[in-house]
Amino acid sequence: MKKLGIVILSIVLGISACKKDHEVGHENELITTIKLNFKNGNDTKSFAYKDLDGDGGMAPKVDKISLKPNINYDLTVEFLDESKTPAFNITDEIKEEADEHLVVITPSSVAIGTFTYADKDVNQLPIGLMGKFTSKLAAEGTLKVQLRHQPPINGKKTKDGTATPGSDDANINFEIEVK
Amino acid sequence: MLQKGFYFKNFLILTFVLSFQFLQAQEVNCSCFVEGKITDKHTREPIAGAMIEISVQKKATFSDKNGKYRIENVCEGKYEMKIRILGYDTQKLEVNLLHENTHDFRLNESEIHLDGINISAKRIESVSGNEKQLDAEQLKKMTGQNLASILTSISGVSIIQTGSSIGKPVIHGMHSNRILTINNGIRHEAQQWGNEHAPEIDPFLAKQITIIKGAKSVRYGPDAIGGVIIIEPNELRHLDSIKTEINHFSMSNGWQNGISGIVESSSHKINGLDWRLQASTKKGGNVATPNYNLANTGSQEFNYSIGAKYSRKRTDINAFFSQFNSKIGIFSGSHIGNTTDLAQAIGREKPLGIYTPESFTFKINRPYQDIQHSLLKLKLNQQLRNNQNLQFTFGQQYNFRSEVDALRGDRNTAQVFKINTNTLEVLFNHKPFFKNIAGNIGLNGLYQYNISTGKILEPQKSNVLIPNYTNFTIGAFWIERYVKGDYELEAGIRWDKRFLDVYYLERLQSQVTSDEFTNQSITNTLSISRNFNNRLKVGYNFATAWKPPVVSELYSDGVHHGSAAYEVGELDLKSEKVIENSVVINFADKFYQFEVLGYFNYLKNYIFLAPTGNSVLTIRGAFPEFKYTQTNARFVGFDISNSWSKFQKFTLSNQLSLLWADDLERNQPLIFMPANRSETNLTFKLNDFWINEVMLNHRLVFKQNRTPTSSIFQNPAESSFLNLIDGDYMAAPDAYNLFDIMVTKDLKFKKTDSFKVIFECKNILNTVYRDYLNRFRYFSDEIGRNISIRTNIIF
């Protein structure tokens, strides 16, 4: 019996060797900037949402989107961390893990325009880093840009092409004007 | 309750050094005697005036001034011996005055003997009686639960949960930095501030837990405003052979399994050296509510400790090292990006299908918490002349916590906290004055530093939740206790000073900013108690205590991981001060026991977090803003317990915990206070049956109707995404009833000293409920039925 006790104890002790030296991993990711590039032929208009000092502190700087009516724009979305020099491009990471991400672009009213996806991940589900934005009649409102992070849960994929699963890594509103 | 049927009443725990000797048993065999010496465990002073009673034989005596006693002409048999003295806990001890071979009637006189039974003894912590203990026997029945859940079996203690695996104890409505934990004699210093930071202590190592309900700052220093939790392993003692204890548990909900081994003995080569090794491990997978499973709710733990004691003449040296490691999965459905996510999660009846998988797994994904806590303790106890005694206790602690969020790639660590603490206590127990006054003088020092980024003086990042800091605290105290007849009185005074230096980077700045805070305070205490006929005891306690604002309250500025709140600290916070008044009335009869603890605490500058009504716009969306603020508060409540027992076979008991906590400046209840609670317990002891004990338990938690009605801050400017209901996202959940059953069986084997098997079913009816103090009540129900089996083997 006594030997058994010692054996059990040594097994338990043996299971876990001492923990490695705790290295602080990489720095926290910080999205400071979301950039929308609307391209029509050779004409590209860029609008940005910038919050360089991160959450809180100074209020973010948001450009007002101004588009022409009834035009088919090629829209690309960029996510940057500009608190570092040089700025860190988070868009590449999203591309790498495209099957866990979904960009959702929602105008406050269909009268402003419509967005359609133009890119697909390995599972043939949309990503939303590239798309088409078709402006309609002259109107004003907001354009919501969301980056949904939909990582697998206990090994099971959660991304299903809708915005429902996961949580927001970014969620902002641009003011938009079509005239 | 304690091993070998020791009972606690409410004063103290003592242990005694008794030695039993049988001299000549004559034909009648009534010439046995019991003699021994009663000493205080810590000071080793003899205890005079203790009453030693063998009631069945109608024999009683008092210990003399040297602590010695002798009861003569006791007949052979199995008796219960009672030892009582004011200022210490009453103990019952079963004494078997029989020859080992009982059926041998021709007893050989020389064979009748009992070797010295060593009982160590300890002074009670609190004179007034506002303390409660859980002993090894009670703890055996709760292995596998986290420390805070174990403590909820005590009236007046509730729990703040973050899911099912993270629990923080709440005493009389106070928690976190207002509760002090003394782990193995050392002030536990970790990340107490966060509601989702559970105490980093291995419950398997605890053999006795004492809870002081109320301020105890004079002895333990700042922060002990709401109470103190004292966790102790067994004292190391001399053993001739190796003693082993194995504890195991398995639970159906989450397939949690755990095992712990303790091996202890004494060295044969070095006289006076006793040692102990202990290790435990625990693993559980996804847990389930009555209707669905919860994804990513597994947990793992691995802990070990090494202890040694060397005693020589009047010197004791103790060394102890322990390490606690834990990884806890955070329910995926609770991971929210912003207020919109939160509002949607709250709006759902049950979490989304992806968060409630059918299949089971032990795997822990992001988000999770990874925690390590190490403790090194060195203690020197020097016995001086004239029963005086000097103690040095040094402690070093390292706390590592990383909270890993569900971020992109494998490269992001959400928050890392590393805190180092060194403590030193010097305690001098002076010789008794005028026979009746005993006391001690102590000095405390604490040096602590926290590194969140870079080096202490050179922070690298500005976006950390807790900045780098150093904390140096010194304190001195003096406590005297006077005991005479049925009266006991304790008075004490303490002074503390804290120097806090904080180093951080302002937003977008590379120049280090440093702030300095100095706080000091004097606290005092006065307790008095009186015993009437050993049946009724009345105690009164007055105490003051204080807590300087902690770094999180001063400096928070950011979104709190997982709680969808933007928390803002306040640099102008003043120290919190409490004035506590409590009365304990305890009545014990043969069949009936009654105890009521009433408390009235006034807190000046009570620090709490409240919604401002504004929202903070971030790139992840809008978050409601919460700010630390202060008010004057009043905590009034009662812990009432009743217990009826018949022939020690049947016991019916009830514990009722009631609390009214109010914000006096706004004349409304305080937010996030435990709801009133009633716990009823029915126990049958069946000694000659195939099971030994059956216990039924009913817990009723009322709805918390006392929530704030008006907003704390004056400027609710814009409406946020989320309508706050009484300062909360969701109204308080309904009352609930839970039923548990527990069956205990003691097995007897030749080679084991004790072999206990405990079968338990918690939440028998699979009741669906949510608890007000569970931070995940916004997302999911509490866990459902849980069947467990526990074994405890000592050999």
Side-chain angles (χ1 to χ4, degrees), chain A residues 1 19 26 28-29 53 55 97 101 148-149 154 168-169 171, chain B residues 286 338 341 365 370 406 408-409 411 413-414 507 619-620 795:
Chain A
M1 270 311 240
K19 217 168 204 178
H26 289 258
N28 295 345
E29 180 187 78
D53 66 347
D55 294 348
E97 293 182 7
H101 289 89
R148 298 291 290 172
H149 187 206
N154 288 153
D168 279 336
D169 274 353
N171 181 335
Chain B
N286 288 350
N338 56 26
D341 286 342
N365 283 106
D370 188 8
R408 259 166 301 289
R411 326 186 308 136
T413 300
R507 288 165 186 279
I619 204 139
R620 272 174 294 167
F795 56 91

PDB file of all heavy atoms in Angstrom, chain A residues 1 19 26 28-29 53 55 97 101 148-149 154 168-169 171, chain B residues 286 338 341 365 370 406 408-409 411 413-414 507 619-620 795:
ATOM      1  N   MET A   1       0.820  -1.195   0.000  1.00  0.00           N
ATOM      2  CA  MET A   1       0.000   0.000   0.000  1.00  0.00           C
ATOM      3  C   MET A   1       0.860   1.254   0.000  1.00  0.00           C
ATOM      4  O   MET A   1       0.623   2.196  -0.724  1.00  0.00           O
ATOM      5  CB  MET A   1      -0.881   0.019   1.254  1.00  0.00           C
ATOM      6  CG  MET A   1      -2.215  -0.651   1.100  1.00  0.00           C
ATOM      7  SD  MET A   1      -3.173  -0.192  -0.349  1.00  0.00           S
ATOM      8  CE  MET A   1      -4.646   0.473   0.354  1.00  0.00           C
ATOM      9  N   LYS A  19       6.870  24.243 -15.417  1.00  0.00           N
ATOM     10  CA  LYS A  19       6.417  25.096 -16.499  1.00  0.00           C
ATOM     11  C   LYS A  19       7.589  25.866 -17.086  1.00  0.00           C
ATOM     12  O   LYS A  19       8.492  26.254 -16.377  1.00  0.00           O
ATOM     13  CB  LYS A  19       5.407  26.098 -15.941  1.00  0.00           C
ATOM     14  CG  LYS A  19       4.315  26.336 -16.928  1.00  0.00           C
ATOM     15  CD  LYS A  19       3.194  27.080 -16.265  1.00  0.00           C
ATOM     16  CE  LYS A  19       1.909  26.814 -16.994  1.00  0.00           C
ATOM     17  NZ  LYS A  19       0.787  27.457 -16.384  1.00  0.00           N
ATOM     18  N   HIS A  26       3.450  37.727 -28.132  1.00  0.00           N
ATOM     19  CA  HIS A  26       3.501  38.955 -28.898  1.00  0.00           C
ATOM     20  C   HIS A  26       2.563  39.973 -28.282  1.00  0.00           C
ATOM     21  O   HIS A  26       1.679  39.642 -27.529  1.00  0.00           O
ATOM     22  CB  HIS A  26       3.110  38.661 -30.343  1.00  0.00           C
ATOM     23  CG  HIS A  26       4.165  37.883 -31.033  1.00  0.00           C
ATOM     24  ND1 HIS A  26       5.051  38.436 -31.899  1.00  0.00           N
ATOM     25  CD2 HIS A  26       4.495  36.586 -30.933  1.00  0.00           C
ATOM     26  CE1 HIS A  26       5.883  37.491 -32.334  1.00  0.00           C
ATOM     27  NE2 HIS A  26       5.561  36.369 -31.756  1.00  0.00           N
ATOM     28  N   ASN A  28      -0.338  42.669 -27.763  1.00  0.00           N
ATOM     29  CA  ASN A  28      -1.751  42.629 -28.093  1.00  0.00           C
ATOM     30  C   ASN A  28      -1.960  43.217 -29.466  1.00  0.00           C
ATOM     31  O   ASN A  28      -1.360  44.218 -29.819  1.00  0.00           O
ATOM     32  CB  ASN A  28      -2.555  43.479 -27.120  1.00  0.00           C
ATOM     33  CG  ASN A  28      -2.489  42.925 -25.740  1.00  0.00           C
ATOM     34  OD1 ASN A  28      -2.087  41.787 -25.568  1.00  0.00           O
ATOM     35  ND2 ASN A  28      -2.867  43.730 -24.782  1.00  0.00           N
ATOM     36  N   GLU A  29      -2.866  42.584 -30.190  1.00  0.00           N
ATOM     37  CA  GLU A  29      -3.198  43.137 -31.489  1.00  0.00           C
ATOM     38  C   GLU A  29      -4.075  44.360 -31.279  1.00  0.00           C
ATOM     39  O   GLU A  29      -4.925  44.394 -30.392  1.00  0.00           O
ATOM     40  CB  GLU A  29      -3.961  42.101 -32.279  1.00  0.00           C
ATOM     41  CG  GLU A  29      -4.321  42.615 -33.627  1.00  0.00           C
ATOM     42  CD  GLU A  29      -5.222  41.631 -34.308  1.00  0.00           C
ATOM     43  OE1 GLU A  29      -6.402  41.598 -33.981  1.00  0.00           O
ATOM     44  OE2 GLU A  29      -4.707  40.893 -35.139  1.00  0.00           O
ATOM     45  N   ASP A  53      -4.685  56.124 -30.808  1.00  0.00           N
ATOM     46  CA  ASP A  53      -4.292  55.859 -29.415  1.00  0.00           C
ATOM     47  C   ASP A  53      -5.101  54.715 -28.804  1.00  0.00           C
ATOM     48  O   ASP A  53      -5.142  54.539 -27.594  1.00  0.00           O
ATOM     49  CB  ASP A  53      -4.390  57.127 -28.558  1.00  0.00           C
ATOM     50  CG  ASP A  53      -5.822  57.609 -28.409  1.00  0.00           C
ATOM     51  OD1 ASP A  53      -6.688  57.121 -29.161  1.00  0.00           O
ATOM     52  OD2 ASP A  53      -6.072  58.466 -27.556  1.00  0.00           O
ATOM     53  N   ASP A  55      -8.323  52.163 -27.719  1.00  0.00           N
ATOM     54  CA  ASP A  55      -9.590  52.387 -27.024  1.00  0.00           C
ATOM     55  C   ASP A  55      -9.483  53.571 -26.080  1.00  0.00           C
ATOM     56  O   ASP A  55      -8.488  53.746 -25.394  1.00  0.00           O
ATOM     57  CB  ASP A  55      -9.958  51.151 -26.181  1.00  0.00           C
ATOM     58  CG  ASP A  55     -10.240  49.943 -27.052  1.00  0.00           C
ATOM     59  OD1 ASP A  55     -10.379  50.106 -28.271  1.00  0.00           O
ATOM     60  OD2 ASP A  55     -10.314  48.831 -26.485  1.00  0.00           O
ATOM     61  N   GLU A  97      -6.147  33.643 -42.401  1.00  0.00           N
ATOM     62  CA  GLU A  97      -7.162  32.904 -41.657  1.00  0.00           C
ATOM     63  C   GLU A  97      -8.543  33.281 -42.160  1.00  0.00           C
ATOM     64  O   GLU A  97      -9.470  33.502 -41.375  1.00  0.00           O
ATOM     65  CB  GLU A  97      -7.040  33.205 -40.158  1.00  0.00           C
ATOM     66  CG  GLU A  97      -5.763  32.659 -39.565  1.00  0.00           C
ATOM     67  CD  GLU A  97      -5.650  32.914 -38.079  1.00  0.00           C
ATOM     68  OE1 GLU A  97      -6.625  33.410 -37.477  1.00  0.00           O
ATOM     69  OE2 GLU A  97      -4.599  32.615 -37.523  1.00  0.00           O
ATOM     70  N   HIS A 101     -12.925  34.389 -40.689  1.00  0.00           N
ATOM     71  CA  HIS A 101     -13.280  35.806 -40.678  1.00  0.00           C
ATOM     72  C   HIS A 101     -14.345  36.137 -41.703  1.00  0.00           C
ATOM     73  O   HIS A 101     -14.433  35.499 -42.737  1.00  0.00           O
ATOM     74  CB  HIS A 101     -12.044  36.669 -40.974  1.00  0.00           C
ATOM     75  CG  HIS A 101     -11.065  36.668 -39.846  1.00  0.00           C
ATOM     76  ND1 HIS A 101     -10.070  35.734 -39.754  1.00  0.00           N
ATOM     77  CD2 HIS A 101     -10.954  37.469 -38.767  1.00  0.00           C
ATOM     78  CE1 HIS A 101      -9.375  35.957 -38.652  1.00  0.00           C
ATOM     79  NE2 HIS A 101      -9.891  37.008 -38.040  1.00  0.00           N
ATOM     80  N   ARG A 148     -16.152  40.207 -38.376  1.00  0.00           N
ATOM     81  CA  ARG A 148     -16.589  39.138 -37.476  1.00  0.00           C
ATOM     82  C   ARG A 148     -15.473  38.112 -37.377  1.00  0.00           C
ATOM     83  O   ARG A 148     -14.975  37.620 -38.380  1.00  0.00           O
ATOM     84  CB  ARG A 148     -17.857  38.455 -38.004  1.00  0.00           C
ATOM     85  CG  ARG A 148     -19.062  39.352 -38.127  1.00  0.00           C
ATOM     86  CD  ARG A 148     -19.610  39.786 -36.801  1.00  0.00           C
ATOM     87  NE  ARG A 148     -20.235  38.721 -36.049  1.00  0.00           N
ATOM     88  CZ  ARG A 148     -20.632  38.872 -34.785  1.00  0.00           C
ATOM     89  NH1 ARG A 148     -20.452  40.022 -34.149  1.00  0.00           N
ATOM     90  NH2 ARG A 148     -21.196  37.884 -34.147  1.00  0.00           N
ATOM     91  N   HIS A 149     -15.093  37.804 -36.165  1.00  0.00           N
ATOM     92  CA  HIS A 149     -14.086  36.770 -35.951  1.00  0.00           C
ATOM     93  C   HIS A 149     -14.824  35.514 -35.551  1.00  0.00           C
ATOM     94  O   HIS A 149     -15.547  35.509 -34.558  1.00  0.00           O
ATOM     95  CB  HIS A 149     -13.115  37.223 -34.853  1.00  0.00           C
ATOM     96  CG  HIS A 149     -11.959  36.291 -34.683  1.00  0.00           C
ATOM     97  ND1 HIS A 149     -11.277  36.163 -33.510  1.00  0.00           N
ATOM     98  CD2 HIS A 149     -11.359  35.451 -35.547  1.00  0.00           C
ATOM     99  CE1 HIS A 149     -10.306  35.268 -33.664  1.00  0.00           C
ATOM    100  NE2 HIS A 149     -10.338  34.827 -34.883  1.00  0.00           N
ATOM    101  N   ASN A 154     -13.726  24.204 -30.083  1.00  0.00           N
ATOM    102  CA  ASN A 154     -13.389  22.812 -29.784  1.00  0.00           C
ATOM    103  C   ASN A 154     -13.220  21.992 -31.079  1.00  0.00           C
ATOM    104  O   ASN A 154     -13.756  20.914 -31.215  1.00  0.00           O
ATOM    105  CB  ASN A 154     -14.429  22.187 -28.847  1.00  0.00           C
ATOM    106  CG  ASN A 154     -14.329  22.742 -27.427  1.00  0.00           C
ATOM    107  OD1 ASN A 154     -15.277  22.762 -26.697  1.00  0.00           O
ATOM    108  ND2 ASN A 154     -13.152  23.223 -27.040  1.00  0.00           N
ATOM    109  N   ASP A 168     -17.368  40.497 -32.682  1.00  0.00           N
ATOM    110  CA  ASP A 168     -16.842  41.603 -33.473  1.00  0.00           C
ATOM    111  C   ASP A 168     -15.397  41.905 -33.104  1.00  0.00           C
ATOM    112  O   ASP A 168     -15.091  42.154 -31.947  1.00  0.00           O
ATOM    113  CB  ASP A 168     -17.653  42.882 -33.180  1.00  0.00           C
ATOM    114  CG  ASP A 168     -18.964  42.937 -33.953  1.00  0.00           C
ATOM    115  OD1 ASP A 168     -19.050  42.281 -35.008  1.00  0.00           O
ATOM    116  OD2 ASP A 168     -19.885  43.638 -33.495  1.00  0.00           O
ATOM    117  N   ASP A 169     -14.522  41.906 -34.086  1.00  0.00           N
ATOM    118  CA  ASP A 169     -13.180  42.436 -33.862  1.00  0.00           C
ATOM    119  C   ASP A 169     -13.153  43.901 -34.252  1.00  0.00           C
ATOM    120  O   ASP A 169     -12.297  44.659 -33.820  1.00  0.00           O
ATOM    121  CB  ASP A 169     -12.150  41.673 -34.687  1.00  0.00           C
ATOM    122  CG  ASP A 169     -11.660  40.436 -33.951  1.00  0.00           C
ATOM    123  OD1 ASP A 169     -12.021  40.278 -32.778  1.00  0.00           O
ATOM    124  OD2 ASP A 169     -10.925  39.639 -34.559  1.00  0.00           O
ATOM    125  N   ASN A 171     -16.161  47.048 -35.405  1.00  0.00           N
ATOM    126  CA  ASN A 171     -17.571  47.371 -35.630  1.00  0.00           C
ATOM    127  C   ASN A 171     -17.695  48.884 -35.594  1.00  0.00           C
ATOM    128  O   ASN A 171     -17.691  49.488 -34.532  1.00  0.00           O
ATOM    129  CB  ASN A 171     -18.430  46.715 -34.546  1.00  0.00           C
ATOM    130  CG  ASN A 171     -19.915  46.988 -34.748  1.00  0.00           C
ATOM    131  OD1 ASN A 171     -20.294  47.986 -35.362  1.00  0.00           O
ATOM    132  ND2 ASN A 171     -20.742  46.099 -34.233  1.00  0.00           N
TER     133      ASN A 171
ATOM    134  N   ASN B 286     -15.888  19.800 -21.176  1.00  0.00           N
ATOM    135  CA  ASN B 286     -17.042  20.694 -21.274  1.00  0.00           C
ATOM    136  C   ASN B 286     -18.152  20.282 -20.306  1.00  0.00           C
ATOM    137  O   ASN B 286     -18.549  19.134 -20.261  1.00  0.00           O
ATOM    138  CB  ASN B 286     -17.607  20.675 -22.691  1.00  0.00           C
ATOM    139  CG  ASN B 286     -16.692  21.397 -23.661  1.00  0.00           C
ATOM    140  OD1 ASN B 286     -15.738  22.067 -23.243  1.00  0.00           O
ATOM    141  ND2 ASN B 286     -16.964  21.273 -24.942  1.00  0.00           N
ATOM    142  N   ASN B 338     -18.305  43.378 -28.449  1.00  0.00           N
ATOM    143  CA  ASN B 338     -18.756  44.697 -28.006  1.00  0.00           C
ATOM    144  C   ASN B 338     -20.184  44.605 -27.475  1.00  0.00           C
ATOM    145  O   ASN B 338     -20.743  43.529 -27.321  1.00  0.00           O
ATOM    146  CB  ASN B 338     -18.682  45.700 -29.153  1.00  0.00           C
ATOM    147  CG  ASN B 338     -19.482  45.221 -30.359  1.00  0.00           C
ATOM    148  OD1 ASN B 338     -20.425  44.448 -30.207  1.00  0.00           O
ATOM    149  ND2 ASN B 338     -19.095  45.658 -31.526  1.00  0.00           N
ATOM    150  N   ASP B 341     -22.771  42.625 -29.583  1.00  0.00           N
ATOM    151  CA  ASP B 341     -22.679  41.181 -29.375  1.00  0.00           C
ATOM    152  C   ASP B 341     -23.346  40.791 -28.067  1.00  0.00           C
ATOM    153  O   ASP B 341     -24.046  39.789 -27.981  1.00  0.00           O
ATOM    154  CB  ASP B 341     -21.204  40.741 -29.298  1.00  0.00           C
ATOM    155  CG  ASP B 341     -20.515  40.746 -30.662  1.00  0.00           C
ATOM    156  OD1 ASP B 341     -21.230  40.745 -31.670  1.00  0.00           O
ATOM    157  OD2 ASP B 341     -19.280  40.744 -30.695  1.00  0.00           O
ATOM    158  N   ASN B 365      -9.787  25.520 -25.802  1.00  0.00           N
ATOM    159  CA  ASN B 365      -9.430  26.468 -26.861  1.00  0.00           C
ATOM    160  C   ASN B 365      -9.406  27.872 -26.295  1.00  0.00           C
ATOM    161  O   ASN B 365      -9.683  28.096 -25.124  1.00  0.00           O
ATOM    162  CB  ASN B 365     -10.479  26.421 -27.966  1.00  0.00           C
ATOM    163  CG  ASN B 365     -10.314  25.197 -28.852  1.00  0.00           C
ATOM    164  OD1 ASN B 365     -11.091  24.273 -28.751  1.00  0.00           O
ATOM    165  ND2 ASN B 365      -9.298  25.189 -29.676  1.00  0.00           N
ATOM    166  N   ASP B 370      -4.572  31.108 -18.123  1.00  0.00           N
ATOM    167  CA  ASP B 370      -3.442  30.262 -17.770  1.00  0.00           C
ATOM    168  C   ASP B 370      -2.804  30.889 -16.532  1.00  0.00           C
ATOM    169  O   ASP B 370      -2.403  32.043 -16.578  1.00  0.00           O
ATOM    170  CB  ASP B 370      -2.464  30.245 -18.949  1.00  0.00           C
ATOM    171  CG  ASP B 370      -1.361  29.236 -18.742  1.00  0.00           C
ATOM    172  OD1 ASP B 370      -1.444  28.456 -17.778  1.00  0.00           O
ATOM    173  OD2 ASP B 370      -0.410  29.228 -19.543  1.00  0.00           O
ATOM    174  N   ALA B 406      -9.611  35.232 -27.880  1.00  0.00           N
ATOM    175  CA  ALA B 406      -9.767  34.587 -29.180  1.00  0.00           C
ATOM    176  C   ALA B 406      -9.336  35.551 -30.276  1.00  0.00           C
ATOM    177  O   ALA B 406     -10.149  36.085 -30.997  1.00  0.00           O
ATOM    178  CB  ALA B 406     -11.209  34.164 -29.381  1.00  0.00           C
ATOM    179  N   ARG B 408      -6.586  36.702 -33.547  1.00  0.00           N
ATOM    180  CA  ARG B 408      -6.082  36.073 -34.750  1.00  0.00           C
ATOM    181  C   ARG B 408      -4.733  35.410 -34.535  1.00  0.00           C
ATOM    182  O   ARG B 408      -3.896  35.916 -33.816  1.00  0.00           O
ATOM    183  CB  ARG B 408      -5.890  37.124 -35.845  1.00  0.00           C
ATOM    184  CG  ARG B 408      -6.991  37.134 -36.856  1.00  0.00           C
ATOM    185  CD  ARG B 408      -6.897  38.385 -37.675  1.00  0.00           C
ATOM    186  NE  ARG B 408      -6.987  39.546 -36.812  1.00  0.00           N
ATOM    187  CZ  ARG B 408      -8.100  39.911 -36.203  1.00  0.00           C
ATOM    188  NH1 ARG B 408      -9.191  39.224 -36.350  1.00  0.00           N
ATOM    189  NH2 ARG B 408      -8.122  40.966 -35.430  1.00  0.00           N
ATOM    190  N   GLY B 409      -4.552  34.302 -35.233  1.00  0.00           N
ATOM    191  CA  GLY B 409      -3.259  33.652 -35.221  1.00  0.00           C
ATOM    192  C   GLY B 409      -2.928  33.095 -33.861  1.00  0.00           C
ATOM    193  O   GLY B 409      -3.715  33.175 -32.928  1.00  0.00           O
ATOM    194  N   ARG B 411      -0.486  34.151 -32.123  1.00  0.00           N
ATOM    195  CA  ARG B 411       0.575  35.032 -31.688  1.00  0.00           C
ATOM    196  C   ARG B 411       0.137  36.057 -30.665  1.00  0.00           C
ATOM    197  O   ARG B 411       0.945  36.790 -30.149  1.00  0.00           O
ATOM    198  CB  ARG B 411       1.177  35.770 -32.878  1.00  0.00           C
ATOM    199  CG  ARG B 411       1.181  34.926 -34.143  1.00  0.00           C
ATOM    200  CD  ARG B 411       1.899  35.584 -35.250  1.00  0.00           C
ATOM    201  NE  ARG B 411       1.448  36.928 -35.492  1.00  0.00           N
ATOM    202  CZ  ARG B 411       2.258  37.950 -35.704  1.00  0.00           C
ATOM    203  NH1 ARG B 411       3.551  37.764 -35.665  1.00  0.00           N
ATOM    204  NH2 ARG B 411       1.785  39.135 -35.932  1.00  0.00           N
ATOM    205  N   THR B 413      -1.389  37.427 -27.201  1.00  0.00           N
ATOM    206  CA  THR B 413      -1.695  37.159 -25.819  1.00  0.00           C
ATOM    207  C   THR B 413      -2.480  38.357 -25.327  1.00  0.00           C
ATOM    208  O   THR B 413      -2.049  39.487 -25.462  1.00  0.00           O
ATOM    209  CB  THR B 413      -0.403  37.013 -25.012  1.00  0.00           C
ATOM    210  OG1 THR B 413       0.327  35.931 -25.558  1.00  0.00           O
ATOM    211  CG2 THR B 413      -0.695  36.727 -23.574  1.00  0.00           C
ATOM    212  N   ALA B 414      -3.640  38.087 -24.785  1.00  0.00           N
ATOM    213  CA  ALA B 414      -4.506  39.207 -24.455  1.00  0.00           C
ATOM    214  C   ALA B 414      -3.946  40.041 -23.320  1.00  0.00           C
ATOM    215  O   ALA B 414      -3.669  41.213 -23.475  1.00  0.00           O
ATOM    216  CB  ALA B 414      -5.885  38.708 -24.099  1.00  0.00           C
ATOM    217  N   ARG B 507      -0.785  57.658 -23.276  1.00  0.00           N
ATOM    218  CA  ARG B 507      -1.096  57.304 -24.659  1.00  0.00           C
ATOM    219  C   ARG B 507      -0.209  58.062 -25.629  1.00  0.00           C
ATOM    220  O   ARG B 507      -0.034  59.276 -25.508  1.00  0.00           O
ATOM    221  CB  ARG B 507      -2.542  57.674 -24.966  1.00  0.00           C
ATOM    222  CG  ARG B 507      -3.525  56.782 -24.314  1.00  0.00           C
ATOM    223  CD  ARG B 507      -4.886  57.397 -24.351  1.00  0.00           C
ATOM    224  NE  ARG B 507      -5.806  56.571 -23.593  1.00  0.00           N
ATOM    225  CZ  ARG B 507      -6.363  55.488 -24.092  1.00  0.00           C
ATOM    226  NH1 ARG B 507      -6.120  55.117 -25.324  1.00  0.00           N
ATOM    227  NH2 ARG B 507      -7.170  54.770 -23.342  1.00  0.00           N
ATOM    228  N   ILE B 619     -12.952  51.021 -31.986  1.00  0.00           N
ATOM    229  CA  ILE B 619     -12.992  50.431 -33.315  1.00  0.00           C
ATOM    230  C   ILE B 619     -13.785  49.126 -33.317  1.00  0.00           C
ATOM    231  O   ILE B 619     -14.241  48.657 -34.338  1.00  0.00           O
ATOM    232  CB  ILE B 619     -11.546  50.253 -33.830  1.00  0.00           C
ATOM    233  CG1 ILE B 619     -11.528  50.224 -35.354  1.00  0.00           C
ATOM    234  CG2 ILE B 619     -10.912  48.998 -33.272  1.00  0.00           C
ATOM    235  CD1 ILE B 619     -10.410  50.983 -35.961  1.00  0.00           C
ATOM    236  N   ARG B 620     -13.958  48.531 -32.125  1.00  0.00           N
ATOM    237  CA  ARG B 620     -14.747  47.304 -32.038  1.00  0.00           C
ATOM    238  C   ARG B 620     -16.219  47.604 -31.798  1.00  0.00           C
ATOM    239  O   ARG B 620     -17.004  46.719 -31.553  1.00  0.00           O
ATOM    240  CB  ARG B 620     -14.224  46.433 -30.908  1.00  0.00           C
ATOM    241  CG  ARG B 620     -13.117  45.515 -31.357  1.00  0.00           C
ATOM    242  CD  ARG B 620     -12.537  44.772 -30.202  1.00  0.00           C
ATOM    243  NE  ARG B 620     -11.869  45.699 -29.295  1.00  0.00           N
ATOM    244  CZ  ARG B 620     -11.479  45.375 -28.083  1.00  0.00           C
ATOM    245  NH1 ARG B 620     -11.731  44.185 -27.604  1.00  0.00           N
ATOM    246  NH2 ARG B 620     -10.864  46.251 -27.328  1.00  0.00           N
ATOM    247  N   PHE B 795      -3.465   5.510   4.826  1.00  0.00           N
ATOM    248  CA  PHE B 795      -2.788   4.297   5.299  1.00  0.00           C
ATOM    249  C   PHE B 795      -1.357   4.590   5.633  1.00  0.00           C
ATOM    250  O   PHE B 795      -0.877   5.707   5.397  1.00  0.00           O
ATOM    251  CB  PHE B 795      -2.886   3.171   4.262  1.00  0.00           C
ATOM    252  CG  PHE B 795      -2.372   3.524   2.907  1.00  0.00           C
ATOM    253  CD1 PHE B 795      -1.043   3.298   2.564  1.00  0.00           C
ATOM    254  CD2 PHE B 795      -3.210   4.109   1.961  1.00  0.00           C
ATOM    255  CE1 PHE B 795      -0.581   3.637   1.309  1.00  0.00           C
ATOM    256  CE2 PHE B 795      -2.751   4.436   0.707  1.00  0.00           C
ATOM    257  CZ  PHE B 795      -1.435   4.213   0.371  1.00  0.00           C
TER     258      PHE B 795
END
